[in-house]
Amino acid sequence: MRISLMQISDDAVLAGAMNGKVAFAEMIKTIPDEALVPQPLFLDFGSIQVATASYLRESVFALKSYLRSRNSSFYPVIANANPEVWDELSVIASAKNDAIVTCTLSDEGDATSIDLLGNLDPKQQMTFDLVLKFDEVDANSLMEQFGESEKTKGTTAWNNRLASLASRGIIREFTKGRSKFYRPLLMESMNGN
């Protein structure tokens, strides 16, 4: 699913907390109740020249928090943000100690230049990188392959790390039988990791 911030706001300059709250409400109206499978929700910043930190905090990051608190099948991904918007997103991600997936999205829906904006602690980063490397993991498989080298006893630590990354909205969580599995939001290898 794709939401154009230009269509939501009808302006190339996105500024102010109040306007961000209005955009948040408009985005909520646009999103279907639920999807059958976990999937990215592309927030398309194409044609947006400037977006202030206060606007982004009350729209993009509020939407991300809202969807994660509802255990939604939609995972927000920033698409087509220019360097100025990227800088403001980075300010908010840093201030909130949060992270969000970004990409360039074609008109056909192909995602490229996939990256992670924000920071993870070293254990989360390592777990995130393993999810990217294997495309699909669960806590048991990570424990079997890396438990001893990471001095991790039991699957609980791996499960906690995976669940934390999913709750941050940077990997997808799904169930197979009685087990939870995790996949990258977007399947192309991410840059810089």
Side-chain angles (χ1 to χ4, degrees):
M1 177 169 188
R2 181 184 215 148
I3 296 175
S4 167
L5 274 290
M6 183 59 119
Q7 289 179 343
I8 293 281
S9 66
D10 201 29
D11 195 344
V13 176
L14 309 177
M18 189 55 76
N19 289 334
K21 289 178 182 184
V22 170
F24 169 77
E26 289 300 313
M27 286 188 278
I28 293 296
K29 287 185 211 173
T30 305
I31 300 169
D33 287 337
E34 217 36 68
L36 295 177
V37 295
Q39 62 184 276
L41 170 63
F42 294 104
L43 304 179
D44 190 349
F45 280 81
S47 301
I48 300 297
Q49 296 172 359
V50 176
T52 64
S54 59
Y55 179 95
L56 295 168
R57 181 187 67 237
E58 299 300 331
S59 60
V60 171
F61 284 90
L63 178 67
K64 183 176 178 269
S65 295
Y66 172 78
L67 292 175
R68 298 303 3 112
S69 71
R70 292 184 58 223
N71 293 321
S72 172
S73 295
F74 291 104
Y75 291 80
V77 174
I78 302 298
N80 304 324
N82 68 26
E84 290 78 16
V85 173
W86 177 278
D87 285 346
E88 294 298 310
L89 285 162
S90 183
V91 166
I92 295 300
S94 179
K96 294 177 76 54
N97 193 27
D98 203 350
I100 193 164
V101 175
T102 66
C103 71
T104 300
L105 191 65
S106 71
D107 291 341
E108 295 77 31
D110 298 322
T112 58
S113 303
I114 300 165
D115 207 350
L116 183 67
L117 185 135
N119 295 312
L120 301 174
D121 71 42
K123 296 283 187 188
Q124 287 181 328
Q125 184 67 54
M126 184 214 30
T127 305
F128 181 75
D129 291 342
L130 290 172
V131 173
L132 295 179
K133 180 179 178 180
F134 295 108
D135 287 335
E136 180 176 301
V137 299
D138 68 340
N140 288 329
S141 65
L142 291 178
M143 178 60 201
E144 288 170 7
Q145 292 181 47
F146 304 101
E148 199 165 304
S149 65
E150 288 300 315
K151 298 179 179 40
T152 303
K153 294 181 169 77
T155 59
T156 302
W158 290 108
N159 195 47
N160 290 344
R161 289 182 205 162
L162 290 163
S164 173
L165 293 172
S167 72
R168 293 180 87 173
I170 58 175
I171 62 173
R172 295 180 285 167
E173 176 183 280
F174 60 99
T175 304
K176 279 187 183 178
R178 297 177 66 198
S179 298
K180 287 188 180 182
F181 285 80
Y182 301 86
R183 298 193 87 176
L185 279 182
L186 305 173
M187 295 312 290
E188 176 187 295
S189 295
M190 298 182 98
N191 301 329
N193 291 322

